[in-house]
Structure formats: C-alpha cells, structure tokens
Amino acid sequence: MAKTAPEGLITALDIGSSKVSALIAQKGDGGELVVLGTGQRESRGVQRGYIADMAATEVAVREAVEQAERIAGTNIEDVWVSFSAGGLESNILRLEVDLGGHRVEQSDIDDLLRAGREAINPGGRMVLHAQPTRYTLDGLAGVKQPRGLHAERLGVDIHVVSTEGAPVRNLDLCVRSAHLEVRSIIAAPVATGLACLSEEERELGVALVEIGAGVTNVSVYKDGVLTGLSSIQQGSADITDDIASAFGTRRGQAERMKCFYGSANMTPRDNHDMIDIAPASLEEEGEGARITRAQLIAVIRLRLDRLMAEISKELTRLNFEDPVGRQIVLTGGGAELKGVADYAQQALGRSVRVGRPRGLTALPEAHAGPAFATLAGLATFAAADPVDLRNLEPSRGQLVIRSNPKAMLQRMMAAFRANY
C-alpha cells in the first residue's frame, strides 16, 4: 500500500502532444533533487499543445501519475504542470523608485515589488509568471540582492509571461478532473531553460529551441533572463506524418522508421541500405514495399528544411542575430533525431548542441534525454520556489496583462506615482 506523501515532495506533470509524463522527486536537506518515480503514457487528447479531448487526456494523466506513484511507493496530491501551446508572450517590465541615497531596506524592496504587482492590469491575457529577475542601483544592472546597499535610485526588472486564458483553464480543469490539485502552471520554455541551460549560458546569450511533437518553441535568453519567445506550429510529429503519407504506411510504422532508420544527414551508403515498409492497412495482402534509407532521409530533410527556415525567422524577430558566440540549444523529442544538431548548425549558421536535463539525482536513463527536459525543469522550478509578484497580495482572480508594452509601462508609472 502506498504511503502518504512526505514533506519536500515535488510532482511534475508534462502534458504534451505525443506523451504525458510524470516525475516524483524528493528535495533533500542540501537542496538536491532525488527522483523517486516516473511515469509515462501516450497522449491521445492533445493537439499542438492544446487539450482537444478532455476525457482521453484525463485518462493519460491519471495513468502516468499512478505509474510514478507505484514506483515511488507514495501517493501524491498536487502537481506542477507545464503549458507548451502557442500564444506565449514574454516581456521585461522595469520600475524604479527614488531613495534619496539612503540604505536599501527590505521594506523598500517590498514596496517596489508591490508597485510592480499593482501595475499588472487585466486586459485579456492570463499571466503565468510575474517574477522579479534582478535589481538596479543608480542604473547599475545585475544586482541580485540590493538590501543593505546605499543608492539614490532602486529599480527592478520584472519578467512577465502571459498567454490566452482558455487553453490554460482547459489544462487546469483536465488535471483537476484526474483528482489532482494544481500547484502552478508553468510555461514550458521557462522550465526547459532551467533544465538544459547553465547560468553562464543564460548570461552570455543563448537560444533554446524545443522541438516537440506538435509545437516548436523558440526562446531567447540574455543577461540571465528569458527576453523573448515564440511558437511554431510544427514539430516532430509532422515528420512522422510526412513519412506515413509519402510511403503509404501507418503512423506507428512511420514513427518506428524515423526512430530506427531516420537521420538528418545523408551518406553514400544510404542509397544501398533497404527498409521494409508494412502496408497501411492490415487487410492488404502480400509483402509491403521496400525503400532505400536515402529515400526516407530525403522526406525527413524536406520537413526539417521548412522547420529550420521558420526557426531562423523567429530568431531574427527575437533579435538573436549576431552569430558570433551565440549558441543554439536543441531539446524536445525532435532533438533525438540522429544528426539533427549537425544539420541545424549548417542550416542556421551557428553553434548547436543538444540539451539534456541535468541537476536531478537518480533520473532514469529512459527519462534522461532531451524529450524529458521540460519534465525535469518543472521539478527544478518547483524546488527553487521563485518569488511571484501575484502572491504578494490576495488576488480576486487570475492576473492578466495588456499585450501592448507601451500601455503596460504607462500603467506601471501611474501606479508608481500613486504609491509614492
């Protein structure tokens, strides 16, 4: 019989377009995270990151969590959930107050954060994150702890991630229908960045490209924070569909062909290696067709060409333009395709590596690949327990924010003047 959950237990739940995965971890006395159990089920009710079939998704959530509970030998009640659908927006809001040269006290910091919290105004979008990232003293950026220092002016950068409300509410309802309490819903790029990127990479500037089954999220980090993100409605499942369509086979067979024989790069030998293809219908008689590995790779590369072109456009739009010293990290299930990092490096003209989750003890090898980076990042995020401005005061409902940065800044200054 499973035991009651002990203190310090964290459960992460990643609901994707191809799989639903769960992870139960215990936070140790030294802050380390030890994985106690994991679970995974095929996702049948999610399309492009959105809940399309509530009942099917609920079943997958319940089964994935139950599997993790059996391995961990404990029951859990609440989870940290990822949100990876399109529509995510990231903004950095800045607020500053005149201190008159006196020493920064905790009350000064609290008042500044409270002013920032009040400046987040309902305007049609739901806020997933509203976190102070760093402070400024007399214009000097990068101050992590200003308390005790003297300054004329104290400022703060607030990182706000927002999205459309309905998809998040559907996700929340689905998890609660599986009799689980939702601790928080986390934007997938925020969690994945914690799992795959070092603090130094985030400081120097790096792009994180998460190739999921139905959605590819592109995130840009600079000066230690997420400065921009966007979503592309393509993913590794589109490669599978292209293979199934091109060679007249079932999706399951196409996925197997992609995983076992697929590659992003081609060699002369691929023209001679043969692959047997099962017919699309089980009722068809006779042997299936045979193709060369080169034919399979050609189909894969056609889709990759389109995806890399879109990624390049988004990187330019997010001002990730200087190729010198700017690395790209690939993660997600699509990053497990053989040779994809070398292919992306040539297509994008930048240094590219594959990002895998790190920082968790006893993580099973089956869950240590790039496809599970978001899951590991959720646990890391939960263990860090970052400050969220929405928790400074009791909230009467979900926070939302205007999508117009100028309007947000104007309201922040108005709130600032009102408080001081």
Side-chain angles (χ1 to χ4, degrees):
M1 183 176 179
K3 297 179 292 183
T4 304
E7 291 292 327
L9 206 64
I10 294 170
T11 303
L13 181 64
D14 183 23
I15 303 176
S17 300
S18 66
K19 69 181 185 306
V20 174
S21 49
L23 180 148
I24 301 174
Q26 176 75 49
K27 189 174 181 180
D29 295 335
E32 72 281 2
L33 277 176
V34 181
V35 177
L36 304 180
T38 57
Q40 179 183 337
R41 284 294 184 269
E42 181 182 1
S43 179
R44 295 182 179 275
V46 181
Q47 296 180 11
R48 306 289 181 190
Y50 295 93
I51 304 294
D53 186 327
M54 186 74 71
T57 306
E58 178 191 329
V59 170
V61 167
R62 195 193 307 270
E63 292 179 349
V65 170
E66 287 176 352
Q67 183 183 16
E69 286 179 324
R70 285 196 298 271
I71 296 173
T74 187
N75 290 323
I76 59 99
E77 297 178 352
D78 51 54
V79 293
W80 298 72
V81 188
S82 68
F83 178 78
S84 59
L88 289 167
E89 289 186 4
S90 176
N91 291 287
I92 301 296
L93 307 181
R94 292 178 171 87
L95 197 64
E96 194 172 66
V97 61
D98 187 2
L99 292 181
H102 75 72
R103 185 178 178 181
V104 179
E105 304 292 344
Q106 184 61 46
S107 59
D108 298 316
I109 299 173
D110 293 342
D111 288 342
L112 182 63
L113 295 182
R114 193 169 291 110
R117 189 251 184 264
E118 288 299 314
I120 300 176
N121 178 51
R125 293 181 63 82
M126 181 181 291
V127 170
L128 294 181
H129 304 275
Q131 298 167 323
T133 57
R134 61 180 63 204
Y135 296 89
T136 61
L137 293 177
D138 297 331
L140 175 65
V143 179
K144 293 186 177 180
Q145 179 51 266
R147 188 173 59 184
L149 300 175
H150 290 79
E152 295 290 337
R153 303 184 314 278
L154 171 66
V156 65
D157 288 356
I158 302 170
H159 181 218
V160 179
V161 177
S162 61
T163 188
E164 299 297 331
V168 178
R169 285 189 284 270
N170 289 336
L171 182 65
D172 180 86
L173 177 60
C174 181
V175 175
R176 294 182 189 277
S177 297
H179 305 293
L180 295 166
E181 190 69 24
V182 177
R183 288 288 301 274
S184 186
I185 294 178
I186 310 301
V190 173
T192 309
L194 287 176
C196 295
L197 304 177
S198 68
E199 184 175 348
E200 188 171 10
E201 282 178 323
R202 293 194 294 267
E203 286 285 343
L204 295 174
V206 65
L208 180 67
V209 178
E210 183 180 6
I211 307 175
V215 178
T216 296
N217 284 317
V218 181
S219 314
V220 171
Y221 287 80
K222 188 177 181 182
D223 297 329
V225 297
L226 177 64
T227 59
L229 59 85
S230 64
S231 297
I232 301 169
Q233 297 298 300
Q234 295 184 49
S236 59
D238 292 292
I239 299 177
T240 302
D241 289 350
D242 288 350
I243 295 171
S245 177
F247 303 116
T249 189
R250 300 185 301 276
R251 277 196 175 99
Q253 171 74 358
E255 180 69 18
R256 183 177 182 277
M257 290 167 60
K258 181 183 72 175
C259 295
F260 284 92
Y261 305 109
S263 175
N265 299 312
M266 196 176 297
T267 65
R269 182 177 176 179
D270 296 327
N271 290 297
H272 305 286
D273 292 342
M274 303 301 296
I275 302 172
D276 293 321
I277 301 178
S281 175
L282 296 175
E283 299 176 356
E284 293 184 25
E285 298 180 357
E287 297 182 359
R290 301 190 78 199
I291 63 169
T292 64
R293 191 163 181 255
Q295 289 176 286
L296 173 65
I297 294 174
V299 172
I300 293 173
R301 285 174 66 97
L302 279 175
R303 174 60 65 174
L304 285 177
D305 287 344
R306 299 175 197 167
L307 180 58
M308 292 300 160
E310 292 298 320
I311 291 172
S312 182
K313 289 179 184 177
E314 294 304 321
L315 289 174
T316 300
R317 191 178 68 81
L318 296 172
N319 298 317
F320 192 80
E321 297 174 340
D322 185 4
V324 179
R326 294 292 187 89
Q327 189 178 52
I328 295 175
V329 177
L330 294 182
T331 187
E336 296 184 345
L337 178 67
K338 182 180 178 181
V340 69
D342 291 337
Y343 172 87
Q345 185 161 308
Q346 294 177 354
L348 300 174
R350 302 168 187 272
S351 175
V352 177
R353 72 171 177 87
V354 174
R356 293 177 172 82
R358 51 191 176 187
L360 274 71
T361 303
L363 183 65
E365 185 176 350
H367 291 80
F372 297 92
T374 300
L375 187 68
L378 283 171
T380 304
F381 184 96
D385 193 23
V387 175
D388 194 307
L389 300 190
R390 297 173 297 172
N391 298 327
L392 292 181
E393 295 178 5
S395 176
R396 289 176 294 180
Q398 286 285 353
L399 284 179
V400 292
I401 191 165
R402 296 185 186 278
S403 59
N404 185 338
K406 184 179 293 185
M408 287 189 288
L409 181 59
Q410 290 172 347
R411 181 163 182 87
M412 289 188 70
M413 296 309 299
F416 170 76
R417 288 191 292 268
N419 278 276
Y420 296 90

